[in-house]
Amino acid sequence: MKTITEDTIRCTGCRACEKACTRGAISMTKNAEGFLYPQIDETNCIDCGICKRICPAEKIVELKT
């Protein structure tokens, strides 16, 4: 199964990926602890990458000190 974030612990369940997907290939499902995580329907996914680009968990921010 395809994933959006490499480390699911970083996913906040914000649903940005689900809303950005023009194919409706992403749905949010609860895990055993009740947290929402994106599930990708590979039959509808066209690998456009918009979900990864929009995902705040995939953004790395450098803080200047």
Side-chain angles (χ1 to χ4, degrees):
M1 174 183 291
K2 296 177 189 178
T3 60
I4 295 168
T5 59
E6 296 300 319
D7 185 6
T8 56
I9 196 77
R10 293 181 3 198
C11 178
T12 63
C14 72
R15 302 183 99 126
C17 57
E18 178 186 36
K19 293 174 185 172
C21 182
T22 59
R23 303 280 298 187
I26 301 173
S27 60
M28 302 300 284
T29 57
K30 289 183 183 179
N31 68 2
E33 297 170 335
F35 294 103
L36 290 173
Y37 288 102
Q39 297 293 310
I40 300 173
D41 178 354
E42 294 186 48
T43 59
N44 288 335
C45 179
I46 58 171
D47 290 320
C48 68
I50 196 164
C51 55
K52 271 191 163 305
R53 289 192 304 273
I54 200 85
C55 178
E58 286 294 300
K59 308 280 188 242
I60 295 178
V61 178
E62 264 188 57
L63 299 177
K64 293 184 180 182
T65 56

